[in-house]
């Protein structure tokens, strides 16, 4: 099966909550870290599928501000996995014209070697425009909103000049378009503090498959399901507001 159409109905921005790694491992009587390890193949498959489908913005939720509560060895494993994955795939991300960005990476607990690789990859791929891959790492949607409010106040913006547009301009990466489609694997149906501002009008799809088993064909099924949705952005349906195009 493949994705045939690059057209109006391809979501511009897809965001994935990569859930179910722990359950995948438990089903196999393996340590949780084995589930994270197996997640790498899904990450690479989804980047490739999104790129092939013509998705221009892909965001992946790799580590939340709440994930610091997990056992130390699991946190360490995720840090090492992210670093290994980035180093391994940097050349092909660059060659494909993918710009890599990181949302978060603020916490002093992040190993300096990983922070350095993140900076290097952003520099290497910064001129690319074919697709923007944003890895949300040490990310919290509420924290981003609070930081934006602080930044507005520091900039001395008068209260009556605070609009949705001016506010959004103080979020990290203000050029990021709203998310059109969120895919959360494993059947869980929660937002979990993910890109709260940007998902305001997103469509949500909750495939039951666990993230380590998620592959390009599942991604294409989600794009098909998205294409069949009617997005109204709070409006009523008229001949000019049908379809998936943003207003
Ligand atoms: C959620 O599953 C998964 C995570 C918290 C870690 C995800 C991180 C990766 C897949 C690494 C990605 C790497 C790059 C470079 C993008 P869970 O552990 O909460 O699963 P459970 O709900 O079944 O316990």
């Amino acid at each position: 099966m493949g994705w045939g159409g690059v057209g109006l109905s391809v979501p511009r921005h897809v965001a994935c909550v990569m859930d179910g790694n722990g359950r995948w491992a438990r089903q196999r009587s393996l340590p949780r870290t084995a589930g994270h390890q197996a997640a790498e193949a899904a990450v690479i498959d989804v980047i490739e599928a999104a790129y092939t489908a013509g998705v221009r913005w892909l965001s992946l939720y790799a580590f939340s501000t709440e994930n610091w509560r997990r056992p130390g060895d699991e946190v360490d494993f995720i840090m090492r996995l992210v670093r290994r994955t980035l180093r391994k795939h940097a050349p092909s991300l660059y060659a494909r014209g993918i710009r890599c960005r990181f949302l978060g990476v603020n916490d002093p607990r992040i190993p300096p070697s990983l922070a350095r690789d993140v900076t290097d990859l952003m520099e290497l791929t910064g001129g690319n425009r074919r697709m923007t891959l944003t890895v949300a790492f040490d990310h919290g949607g509420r924290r981003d909103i609070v930081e934006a409010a602080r930044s507005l106040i520091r900039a001395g913006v008068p209260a009556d000049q605070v609009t949705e547009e001016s506010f959004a301009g103080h979020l990290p990466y203000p050029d990021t378009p709203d998310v059109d489609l969120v895919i959360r694997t494993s059947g869980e149906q929660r937002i979990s503090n993910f890109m709260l501002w940007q998902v305001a009008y997103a469509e949500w799809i909750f495939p039951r498959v666990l993230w380590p088993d998620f592959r390009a064909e599942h991604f294409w099924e989600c794009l098909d399901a998205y294409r069949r949705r009617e997005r109204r952005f709070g409006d009523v349906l008229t001949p000019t507001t049908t379809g998936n195009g943003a207003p």
Side-chain angles (χ1 to χ4, degrees), residues 62-141:
F63 194 82
S64 71
T65 45
E66 292 76 24
N67 286 152
W68 290 110
R69 297 184 198 133
R70 294 188 176 207
D73 57 346
E74 183 175 343
V75 170
D76 290 348
F77 187 91
I78 294 174
M79 299 288 153
R80 284 199 303 274
L81 172 67
V82 170
R83 180 158 189 249
R84 268 201 314 270
T85 306
L86 298 180
R87 290 177 78 90
K88 186 161 135 198
H89 298 283
S92 67
L93 292 167
Y94 175 72
R96 282 172 168 67
I98 297 175
R99 169 171 59 175
C100 299
R101 286 175 163 180
F102 292 81
L103 195 54
V105 198
N106 297 319
D107 196 288
R109 286 170 288 184
I110 291 175
S113 53
L114 173 57
R116 235 182 358 258
D117 284 350
V118 160
T119 308
D120 289 350
L121 186 60
M122 286 199 290
E123 273 172 23
L124 174 72
T125 63
N128 287 346
R129 288 294 180 275
R130 166 92 191 252
M131 183 172 94
T132 299
L133 170 68
T134 303
V135 179
F137 192 82
D138 178 36
H139 163 72

Side-chain angles (χ1 to χ4, degrees), residues 18-39 70 74 77 186 209-213:
M18 308 184 285
D19 200 6
N21 298 352
R23 277 162 283 165
W24 185 93
R26 197 169 59 235
Q27 284 172 3
R28 290 160 179 78
S29 305
L30 294 169
R32 291 177 56 78
T33 49
H36 298 315
Q37 182 63 61
R70 294 188 176 207
E74 183 175 343
F77 187 91
S186 87
V209 59
L210 305 175
W211 180 260
D213 291 327

Side-chain angles (χ1 to χ4, degrees), residues 117-211:
D117 284 350
V118 160
T119 308
D120 289 350
L121 186 60
M122 286 199 290
E123 273 172 23
L124 174 72
T125 63
N128 287 346
R129 288 294 180 275
R130 166 92 191 252
M131 183 172 94
T132 299
L133 170 68
T134 303
V135 179
F137 192 82
D138 178 36
H139 163 72
R142 282 187 176 180
R143 182 176 68 185
D144 283 356
I145 291 171
V146 169
E147 286 298 328
R150 287 184 175 153
S151 163
L152 273 164
I153 292 164
R154 277 196 295 267
V157 180
D160 59 2
Q161 283 176 30
V162 178
T163 61
E164 291 189 13
E165 287 71 29
S166 69
F167 191 92
H170 288 258
L171 289 165
Y173 302 124
D175 59 337
T176 307
D178 276 357
V179 175
D180 298 300
L181 169 63
V182 182
I183 300 168
R184 182 174 188 143
T185 55
S186 87
E188 300 290 337
Q189 302 188 2
R190 285 189 295 278
I191 296 184
S192 300
N193 202 15
F194 182 43
M195 297 181 90
L196 291 181
W197 182 276
Q198 296 88 343
V199 301
Y201 285 100
E203 297 292 321
W204 290 75
I205 295 181
F206 302 102
R208 295 198 65 80
V209 59
L210 305 175
W211 180 260

